Amino acid sequence: MINIKENEKLNIINHSCAHLLAQAVKHIYSDALFWVGPVIEEGFYYDIDLGDKVISEDDLVIIEKEMKKISKDGKRIYREELTKKEALEKFKNDMYKIDLIERMENDSIISCYTQGDFTDLCRGPHVETVKELKHFKLLKVSGAYFKGDSNNKMLQRIYGICFETEEDLNNHLMLLEEAKKRDHKKLGKELELFMMSEYGPGFPFFLPKGMILRNILENYWYEEHTLEGYQFIKTPIMLNQQLWEVSGHWYTYRENMYTSNIDENLFAIKPMNCPGGMLVYKNSLHSYKELPLRVGELGLVHRHEASGALNGLFRVRTFTQDDAHIFMTENQIEEEIVRLIAFIDRVYSVFNLTYKIELSTRPLEKYIGEIDVWDKAEEALKKACSKANKEYVINPGDGAFYGPKLDFHVTDSLGRKWQCGTIQLDFNLPVRFDLTYIDKDGSKKRPVMLHRVIFGSIERFIGILIEHYAGAFPTWLAPVQINIIPVNNEFHLDYAENLKKILLNNNFRVELDEREEKLGYRMRDSVMKKIPFTIILGDNEVNSKTISFRHYGSEDTVTLSIEDFTSMINYTITNKE
Ligand SMILES: [Zn+2]
Ligand SMILES: [Zn+2]
């Protein structure tokens, strides 16, 4: 799916379309005042003060009609430049524009753009005439507090998107439709994977079927990491204030941390696993012979997110990071990263997820550590990407203050991008925790450390997988793999129960639908639940001791012996299909 912000041309027409929206709103609601209307990845929005008026979906249709009318009129868009004083005078009846203007430097030149009867404060750039804005759609409306502060007035935020051609617009609207059908919140409910409760906003509950999926992912994670030479730990959820002071989180991350008192000491619930991991490293002496030391932790973290930002499993207040810290010497960085990239590549390809790598380098001003260490580390990251034959985009100066990083952005089956994996070098924590190892010559040295995740958050990754597969999981992940439907309980149930036992003994996840419902109804239900294999048992199957099944997504019925069926399913699962 397209990112409007990344495309220069689309950026300009979406920005211009926000003004077109504002003009149309002003025609219909003459008292309307406008706050800001930025371009976002998904198009644009405008925050509008309409007094007590709440915009409905029906209103959007009317506004859209007015936008089309203005576009047809085809007025030119004119730029005008004002001094701050002139701008304050011009917009003196508009508290929102005054708010914006007052924050500008006294000697700044302030630009306004006028199209027909409508003038808006703006830096530009815009299209030449409103005629160019033809292929747009208003997508939704929601309330948004002025400046995001719930003590302030609620404004109406109208979202829209604009393209160069009708075809592009229609393709995009089709993708949005498809994305809606795949919404993990909707599918999560229908497939009984997880739930949310008003008693814990942002704290997901995993239901039995979701737990199966989750356990498979976690077991897969442990298996793969064991092969890669990782060891595993589990560190406490709560640790005291002193620790967070040592790690620095107390000073930089305090507002996102939940705290509680234990025996009159302040404790914080961990927002990250790192400090606990550092304490484990310090628990024993380390020799250079142990390096690289790879220590993994599926760590449950809690972070305070604003209630308005919460979104299913994508944005939660508690999640499990598939974390690991790797301790090594400077000379081991490159080889370790090459290995990590190959590892991450292997994991994503199992889910048919492609990805792009971004390399974020040293910030220009705020950073810690020596420049030559940064340079060497960045060079090692670049070399590792080339050695792994992976292209990467550089985000200059976008690294954290404590080290450069590689981010992995996966693309799902709808072409949407999700940042999942990260390899983050850290020059800060080894110093703060005074980590050391004993080198060949017996001297104490400081190890290089990196943090890394592959899924990112297991909860969010499950959300991504639900949408990526549209809930139709491959057999190895499916909570229920096989559904057995006897045509008639009187004649076929015994055989069905016997078959269920055999399949359970093969460690398959099997359900038997013995409800006294019509065959067609039960078959449709099996498809609704997106179960990979639906077995239908009638006279033929009972007499010939075979099974007939349909694979999800296919209308063909295939008949096999029980042995052939089980070996086929085993093959499918072993190959993670
Ligand atoms: Zn503008
Ligand atoms: Zn970490």
Side-chain angles (χ1 to χ4, degrees):
M1 207 172 278
I2 193 142
N3 179 340
I4 297 293
K5 270 180 109 164
E6 276 175 3
N7 180 308
E8 199 183 342
K9 178 78 209 223
L10 288 177
N11 206 323
I12 292 175
I13 66 172
N14 276 272
H15 171 91
S16 305
C17 203
H19 288 289
L20 181 63
L21 163 66
Q23 184 176 10
V25 168
K26 190 83 187 166
H27 284 180
I28 300 167
Y29 310 96
S30 56
D31 292 337
L33 290 175
F34 302 91
W35 174 229
V36 287
V39 172
I40 54 175
E41 281 179 28
E42 299 84 11
F44 65 86
Y45 69 76
Y46 217 130
D47 280 350
I48 306 167
D49 181 351
L50 287 163
D52 295 330
K53 166 80 188 166
V54 175
I55 294 279
S56 69
E57 298 282 329
D58 292 342
D59 295 325
L60 290 186
V61 177
I62 297 166
I63 297 168
E64 217 173 72
K65 249 193 200 145
E66 182 63 23
M67 289 168 74
K68 298 259 178 215
K69 207 172 115 201
I70 301 168
S71 165
K72 241 191 208 137
D73 274 354
K75 292 280 191 299
R76 278 191 67 85
I77 300 171
Y78 294 99
R79 180 185 165 98
E80 181 189 359
E81 290 184 347
L82 304 171
T83 62
K84 185 170 175 177
K85 209 175 141 204
E86 288 166 335
L88 284 171
E89 175 60 27
K90 188 175 178 90
F91 290 98
K92 67 176 177 226
N93 295 324
D94 186 334
M95 62 168 274
Y96 296 101
K97 301 299 171 199
I98 295 289
D99 189 305
L100 291 172
I101 297 165
E102 271 175 350
R103 277 188 279 159
M104 298 181 193
E105 299 286 329
N106 276 333
D107 55 355
S108 47
I109 295 295
I110 294 165
S111 57
C112 293
Y113 285 83
T114 300
Q115 51 199 52
D117 56 6
F118 182 71
T119 300
D120 208 346
L121 189 70
C122 186
R123 240 181 257 134
H126 295 125
V127 294
E128 298 268 297
T129 84
V130 291
K131 231 190 293 183
E132 291 176 57
L133 309 169
K134 262 192 245 161
H135 314 290
F136 54 79
K137 175 95 191 150
L138 296 183
L139 299 170
K140 58 175 179 179
V141 57
S142 68
Y145 291 110
F146 177 49
K147 295 183 178 174
D149 182 341
S150 59
N151 296 317
N152 287 343
K153 184 165 189 181
M154 173 88 84
L155 306 177
Q156 298 290 300
R157 176 172 294 178
I158 300 178
Y159 293 87
I161 194 161
C162 187
F163 284 93
E164 287 181 84
T165 68
E166 195 65 18
E167 196 190 349
D168 287 351
L169 175 65
N170 287 336
N171 285 338
H172 184 78
L173 293 177
M174 258 161 61
L175 272 180
L176 287 183
E177 258 324 291
E178 184 58 33
K180 226 189 241 171
K181 279 190 221 150
R182 292 171 178 236
D183 184 340
H184 76 282
K185 298 185 286 282
K186 176 174 160 279
L187 285 175
K189 197 172 187 178
E190 287 169 11
L191 302 175
E192 300 171 325
L193 300 172
F194 69 93
M195 60 170 257
M196 293 292 183
S197 162
E198 60 190 17
Y199 291 103
F203 300 100
F205 292 62
F206 277 80
L207 302 175
K209 288 192 172 127
M211 267 320 277
I212 293 173
L213 180 58
R214 188 181 172 126
N215 284 333
I216 295 167
L217 285 174
E218 293 190 0
N219 290 339
Y220 167 67
W221 188 90
Y222 277 116
E223 281 163 23
E224 289 293 331
H225 282 73
T226 304
L227 289 176
E228 286 291 321
Y230 284 73
Q231 302 173 325
F232 307 104
I233 57 172
K234 188 71 92 184
T235 63
I237 299 277
M238 293 181 86
L239 292 160
N240 73 17
Q241 180 182 346
Q242 285 74 35
L243 175 80
W244 302 107
E245 285 174 3
V246 173
S247 72
H249 289 90
W250 199 255
Y251 312 109
T252 54
Y253 208 69
R254 173 81 180 81
E255 65 205 39
N256 295 86
M257 293 158 70
Y258 301 111
T259 54
S260 184
N261 280 306
I262 301 180
D263 297 338
E264 282 147 51
N265 290 313
L266 199 50
F267 276 64
I269 302 180
K270 65 176 176 182
M272 291 169 198
N273 305 299
C274 329
M278 302 304 108
L279 295 184
V280 172
Y281 182 87
K282 277 178 80 79
N283 181 49
S284 56
L285 286 177
H286 296 280
S287 149
Y288 70 95
K289 287 183 203 151
E290 295 169 55
L291 308 183
L293 180 62
R294 309 180 184 97
V295 188
E297 174 174 16
L298 289 180
L300 184 67
V301 299
H302 289 70
R303 295 178 186 175
H304 183 69
E305 295 278 352
S307 58
L310 300 174
N311 177 15
L313 295 178
F314 288 162
R315 204 64 177 270
V316 289
R317 285 172 168 161
T318 180
F319 57 96
T320 307
Q321 284 184 309
D322 61 321
D323 221 341
H325 296 106
I326 300 177
F327 307 88
M328 58 197 160
T329 68
E330 222 170 273
N331 295 329
Q332 290 171 327
I333 298 177
E334 188 181 318
E335 201 191 321
E336 190 59 25
I337 307 277
V338 171
R339 207 185 148 117
L340 254 174
I341 294 174
F343 184 18
I344 294 176
D345 189 271
R346 195 168 80 232
V347 172
Y348 290 161
S349 67
V350 164
F351 302 98
N352 279 322
L353 293 165
T354 56
Y355 64 93
K356 287 221 163 70
I357 301 180
E358 289 187 10
L359 165 61
S360 298
T361 58
R362 178 171 52 81
L364 282 178
E365 282 172 14
K366 257 188 85 184
Y367 64 89
I368 64 143
E370 303 299 322
I371 287 200
D372 67 305
V373 178
W374 274 87
D375 289 347
K376 260 193 238 164
E378 286 170 7
E379 206 44 46
L381 290 178
K382 284 181 198 166
K383 267 202 195 146
C385 288
S386 326
K387 270 200 183 160
N389 243 329
K390 294 291 164 196
E391 282 182 25
Y392 56 91
V393 186
I394 297 187
N395 293 330
D398 217 24
F401 75 94
Y402 52 83
K405 62 169 178 171
L406 294 179
D407 286 329
F408 292 73
H409 299 259
V410 307
T411 305
D412 71 11
S413 55
L414 284 190
R416 293 175 300 175
K417 292 197 173 44
W418 307 91
Q419 204 228 298
C420 289
T422 304
I423 301 173
Q424 168 82 62
L425 281 158
D426 190 334
F427 307 138
N428 181 38
L429 285 185
V431 178
R432 280 185 165 269
F433 281 87
D434 191 24
L435 305 186
T436 56
Y437 66 92
I438 309 296
D439 208 354
K440 269 189 193 120
D441 57 6
S443 67
K444 268 191 183 176
K445 293 264 172 67
R446 177 99 52 224
V448 174
M449 198 269 284
L450 65 77
H451 320 255
R452 39 111 293 173
V453 290
I454 300 180
F455 295 148
S457 135
I458 298 207
E459 290 77 0
R460 180 165 163 274
F461 196 73
I462 288 174
I464 293 170
L465 290 184
I466 294 172
E467 300 203 0
H468 174 59
Y469 292 122
F473 298 107
T475 309
W476 76 286
L477 288 174
V480 179
Q481 297 167 315
I482 303 164
N483 185 27
I484 306 172
I485 305 178
V487 175
N488 184 327
N489 280 351
E490 197 181 329
F491 307 111
H492 314 124
L493 186 59
D494 284 347
Y495 183 63
E497 280 174 342
N498 192 38
L499 176 66
K500 184 182 176 188
K501 260 184 224 149
I502 295 171
L503 297 176
L504 284 174
N505 281 332
N506 274 275
N507 290 322
F508 302 148
R509 299 184 286 276
V510 191
E511 278 184 358
L512 170 59
D513 188 352
E514 53 185 302
R515 289 177 295 172
E516 298 285 347
E517 300 279 358
K518 288 212 172 72
L519 178 63
Y521 173 84
R522 285 180 292 161
M523 283 172 68
R524 273 196 304 281
D525 194 46
S526 197
V527 173
M528 288 285 288
K529 290 177 176 159
K530 307 186 189 236
I531 299 169
F533 294 93
T534 301
I535 294 179
I536 303 119
L537 300 177
D539 287 343
N540 281 340
E541 288 74 22
V542 171
N543 293 333
S544 61
K545 299 255 176 291
T546 55
I547 56 177
S548 295
F549 68 90
R550 280 188 184 183
H551 193 224
Y552 178 80
S554 165
E555 297 281 297
D556 299 335
T557 304
V558 181
T559 303
L560 288 179
S561 69
I562 297 178
E563 294 73 40
D564 286 349
F565 179 76
T566 52
S567 51
M568 178 199 70
I569 302 281
N570 267 321
Y571 177 88
T572 309
I573 294 170
T574 311
N575 288 288
K576 305 221 165 11
E577 286 170 2

